[in-house]
Amino acid sequence: MKLKKPLQLDGRTGEGGGQLVRIACTLAAVTSQPIRICHVRGNKGGRGGKGGGLKAQQVAAIQWLAEVTRAEVDGMTVGGHTLEFRPSLPPTALQQRKFDIAAGGTVSSTLLVFQAVLPFLLFAGNENGEPIDLEINGGTNCSFSLSYEYLDQILLPTLQDKFGINIERQLKKRSWTLGPLKGGSMWLRIHPLPPGQSLKVQQPWDKPITAEDFKLKQIDVSMLVPYALKEHLERALVSDLDRLFPDVAVNFLLFEDSGHETRMYTLLVAHSETGLRWGRDYLYDKSRKKKDHQTLSSELSRKVCKELFEEISIHGVVDEYLQDQLVVFQALADGRTSFHRGTKPADVDTDGGVADDLDDSKAPLDPKPERKMRKDKTDKPFGEGSTHTTTARWVASELLPTVQWFDKGSVCDGTGISFTPDT
């Protein structure tokens, strides 16, 4: 049998970081398409101007994918700048139902490893309908990564609502990249698709979007901060949220003593009357010298509340970070999806109040336009959204050439890929 020629990808394209590597490798594993990535993480810092190279968490994810697909791999070393990945087994060949993955260290994100292996596991169903248990050890609250709380409250509920993806989860032990380093872990139970079944879109793509979708019913607050900061931060959040979102209920969902003065994290999740949700979080990363508890609380609250308001004020149906994380599932799914976002936030004066309210006049356009949709070119990162989102669309289109995007990436016709046991 003639071997497939590796798909060539330049790791400096678009975002040019770890996201490109994760998406390329997971889709290569799903489709058994060999890939070769040069200039890995080429837009990130590194010695000699070569870029960052592979990080430990990326090596951990690729190594696991290589094992379950019996892939031949070249360049799978921390700091490596060229990676070739040639998988040979499809997802349905997976027989084992329980796995443990070490993310590469206490500062390596368990969440990013999970992102890299989830699409493969979704298509690894067997005839008995057995779930797959996965435990990942490493960091759960890391810089430059989604947190466990974002996964639990935003990403996984959205995957359930939009694609019917059912994943049970539990945070077994929290681990931070700040303060004393201790290992953490999370457990997940994935219910994969039955053999032969594609990933189904659960909701109409062209459901009219109206001002009603942006009427908030509740904002959930999760605070992981030193106990001494708790009351100060609660007061600051109540004040800022009341000014920006008057008459919206505030629910303090989670408080946990972070155990160290450098560990300060807050997540806000806004819920609309019609079921939309948006998240905004902040892992405090500034100097805390000569700042008392009130000052620190005010800084943290002001930033996360302002960014949540800006996020909702542009009237997109997902937040900035969720949009790029949904791209892979849009491309794999059987059906049409649209998770558009606006572009210009309202002006917010965090000292004096809201300058531009969330009113009916800012209702977005119906995502189903009257004119004929324009097909996007996919030869480079494209469309609306962050650089992460535009890069994700490009990588997905390279690995899944039958996917189609329209109107600057706002609409996607997925591939509807599926696998039978003998695929």
Side-chain angles (χ1 to χ4, degrees):
M1 185 177 73
K2 187 177 180 180
L3 296 177
K4 290 183 181 179
K5 186 177 180 181
L7 176 69
Q8 304 288 326
L9 299 170
D10 189 333
R12 299 169 296 185
T13 306
E15 173 263 348
Q19 180 213 36
L20 186 156
V21 176
R22 287 190 297 275
I23 295 176
C25 289
T26 194
L27 291 181
V30 169
T31 61
S32 298
Q33 167 66 54
I35 58 172
R36 185 177 188 273
I37 308 175
C38 62
H39 306 292
V40 171
R41 296 183 63 249
N43 292 352
K44 307 303 177 182
R47 294 180 180 178
K50 291 185 177 181
L54 286 171
K55 298 181 72 173
Q57 66 206 18
Q58 290 142 17
V59 170
I62 296 166
Q63 183 174 358
W64 186 87
L65 289 170
E67 290 173 358
V68 297
T69 62
R70 293 186 188 173
E72 296 180 4
V73 188
D74 295 324
M76 189 175 60
T77 57
V78 175
H81 295 282
T82 301
L83 173 71
E84 192 159 331
F85 179 72
R86 300 179 295 277
S88 61
L89 291 181
T92 46
L94 188 70
Q95 296 182 0
Q96 189 173 335
R97 299 285 107 177
K98 186 174 182 179
F99 296 93
D100 291 284
I101 302 176
T106 55
V107 297
S108 297
S109 172
T110 57
L111 288 304
L112 296 181
V113 171
F114 177 61
Q115 282 186 325
V117 303
L118 175 58
F120 179 86
L121 291 172
L122 283 180
F123 291 95
N126 60 21
E127 296 291 350
N128 297 324
E130 296 173 297
I132 298 171
D133 286 1
L134 177 64
E135 185 165 324
I136 308 177
N137 300 289
T140 61
N141 292 78
C142 303
S143 303
F144 309 109
S145 167
L146 69 162
S147 67
Y148 177 84
E149 283 64 42
Y150 188 96
L151 175 89
D152 182 52
Q153 298 179 40
I154 297 285
L155 178 56
L156 294 188
T158 302
L159 291 180
Q160 173 87 58
D161 292 346
K162 307 300 184 183
F163 300 99
I165 297 172
N166 182 13
I167 300 175
E168 303 169 52
R169 63 271 190 188
Q170 179 186 6
L171 177 65
K172 298 189 71 174
K173 186 177 181 182
R174 192 179 300 282
S175 176
W176 301 76
T177 51
L178 301 170
L181 300 180
K182 295 181 180 180
S185 66
M186 65 175 186
W187 169 89
L188 305 110
R189 173 167 288 170
I190 298 97
H191 296 267
L193 297 165
Q197 181 174 310
S198 57
L199 185 62
K200 301 293 185 181
V201 175
Q202 302 294 303
Q203 299 174 358
W205 75 277
D206 56 353
K207 176 183 174 292
I209 302 298
T210 70
E212 192 69 23
D213 290 290
F214 303 94
K215 290 183 178 179
L216 302 187
K217 67 174 182 179
Q218 181 172 298
I219 297 175
D220 290 336
V221 180
S222 297
M223 301 191 310
L224 311 176
V225 295
Y227 187 81
L229 212 65
K230 179 176 184 288
E231 291 187 5
H232 297 278
L233 183 55
E234 281 183 353
R235 285 197 296 268
L237 287 166
V238 167
S239 175
D240 288 338
L241 289 173
D242 183 62
R243 182 170 65 251
L244 295 171
F245 304 96
D247 303 320
V248 176
V250 176
N251 173 38
F252 284 88
L253 182 69
L254 171 68
F255 168 73
E256 184 178 309
D257 187 345
S258 66
H260 194 270
E261 62 183 9
T262 62
R263 300 170 179 165
M264 293 175 281
Y265 172 81
T266 299
L267 168 68
L268 303 181
V269 180
H271 300 266
S272 82
E273 295 285 354
T274 60
L276 297 181
R277 62 175 66 85
W278 304 266
R280 208 71 190 191
D281 61 356
Y282 183 30
L283 179 63
Y284 194 84
D285 57 357
K286 297 181 179 179
S287 172
R288 57 185 311 279
K289 290 182 179 180
K290 298 182 181 180
K291 294 178 182 178
D292 58 24
H293 292 151
Q294 183 173 341
T295 300
L296 288 169
S297 298
S298 296
E299 279 187 26
L300 204 162
S301 175
R302 186 180 298 114
K303 177 177 174 64
V304 74
C305 290
K306 177 179 182 290
E307 290 184 355
L308 180 67
F309 181 87
E310 291 176 342
E311 187 65 69
I312 299 170
S313 72
I314 65 175
H315 283 189
V317 298
V318 292
D319 66 55
E320 175 185 356
Y321 305 116
L322 183 59
Q323 187 183 40
D324 80 74
Q325 292 170 59
L326 294 178
V327 167
V328 168
F329 304 98
Q330 290 183 269
L332 289 168
D334 180 10
R336 178 170 287 183
T337 53
S338 178
F339 301 120
H340 66 93
R341 297 181 68 245
T343 55
K344 187 177 180 180
D347 296 324
V348 183
D349 179 356
T350 53
D351 295 319
V354 181
D356 201 349
D357 293 332
L358 297 173
D359 58 27
D360 291 359
S361 66
K362 298 181 79 66
L365 295 175
D366 189 316
K368 182 180 181 181
E370 294 298 326
R371 62 176 176 80
K372 183 178 179 180
M373 293 189 299
R374 177 174 294 180
K375 187 177 178 181
D376 294 319
K377 294 181 179 180
T378 62
D379 57 330
K380 60 183 178 181
F382 64 94
E384 65 169 23
S386 67
T387 306
H388 281 83
T389 298
T390 61
T391 305
R393 292 194 192 107
W394 169 72
V395 180
S397 300
E398 291 290 298
L399 270 297
L400 301 168
T402 60
V403 68
Q404 294 186 335
W405 299 89
F406 302 90
D407 291 351
K408 298 182 179 180
S410 63
V411 177
C412 176
D413 281 348
T415 61
I417 194 170
S418 63
F419 298 89
T420 56
D422 57 351
T423 298

